[in-house]
Amino acid sequence: MKIIMLGAPGAGKGTQAKMIAEKYQIPHISTGDIFRANIKNGTELGAEAKKYMDQGLLVPDELTVRILLDRVAQEDCAGGYVLDGFPRNIPQAQVLDEALEKLGEKIDMCIDVDVPDENIVRRMSGRRACLKCGATYHLEHIPPRQEGVCDTCGSGLVLREDDKPETVQNRLKVYHEQTQPLIEFYSAKGVLKTVDGTMDVQDVFSAIVGLLG
Ligand code: ADP
Ligand code: AMP
């Protein structure tokens, strides 16, 4: 099963993608997590990506597409995967389509997690992330058991640099201009499903499971 999570930054794509990955036993692939891991490890790729991420801009396609195609070619992806944060524009979606077509494969479902802009800034300013294992929390909605500490791996939690309100506005602008057109792109392919992302995490997940079966 190959699934794409669509939605504004902070809509809950990562939260739901992790739950899907666990229930259906498929890898969760987040291009944002891959970039952040590279930044943390001080790689050249991380340094290049950081220039764009800190401004709320998209990392150039040639870099992003290469990373994603390498990742989905790995053995653990043979039974499918859930993509979170990729594709983020039409050219990326076209490259993915072409790569899948060559293998006689296709995307099974694109799930749009719909959350209005007015909820997004609040979600992002309350998000706390573990840069070690990729877990995410929310100060009000999904707090960690111990303040500032990751439940999963015990590392310290941080407010991501790009979750500060000034950068979130840029990210929302980029989303509306470049990513939102993908709703029409996948709708035209007949694989788009929309869920109301303003519900509780568990209710959003139940809606998704209802769609996936
Ligand atoms: P995305 O991957 O789309 O950027 P996240 O999954 O990281 O978004 O979620 C953004 C923030 O909102 C996080 O702090 C997360 O814990 C919180 N969150 C996710 N889903 C919900 C929800 N249904 N209700 C309230 N808060 C949520
Ligand atoms: P995310 O963790 O999905 O919110 O992504 C954080 C940042 O990483 C984005 O604001 C972009 O700068 C970069 N990024 C992640 N995925 C992509 C992608 N598919 N294309 C371009 N940039 C990306």
Side-chain angles (χ1 to χ4, degrees), residues 120-150:
I120 294 291
V121 178
R122 219 170 35 247
R123 285 245 182 128
M124 306 289 254
S125 57
R127 171 156 65 184
R128 291 296 178 272
C130 174
L131 296 182
K132 184 158 183 225
C133 75
T136 41
Y137 302 87
H138 191 281
L139 290 181
E140 289 162 51
H141 309 296
I142 309 152
R145 282 193 295 273
Q146 189 188 338
E147 198 184 315
V149 180
C150 179

Side-chain angles (χ1 to χ4, degrees), residues 39 44-60:
I39 293 171
E44 218 171 284
L45 167 73
E48 184 62 19
K50 190 174 187 314
K51 290 193 234 162
Y52 301 91
M53 292 170 77
D54 282 352
Q55 298 178 67
L57 300 173
L58 295 187
V59 175

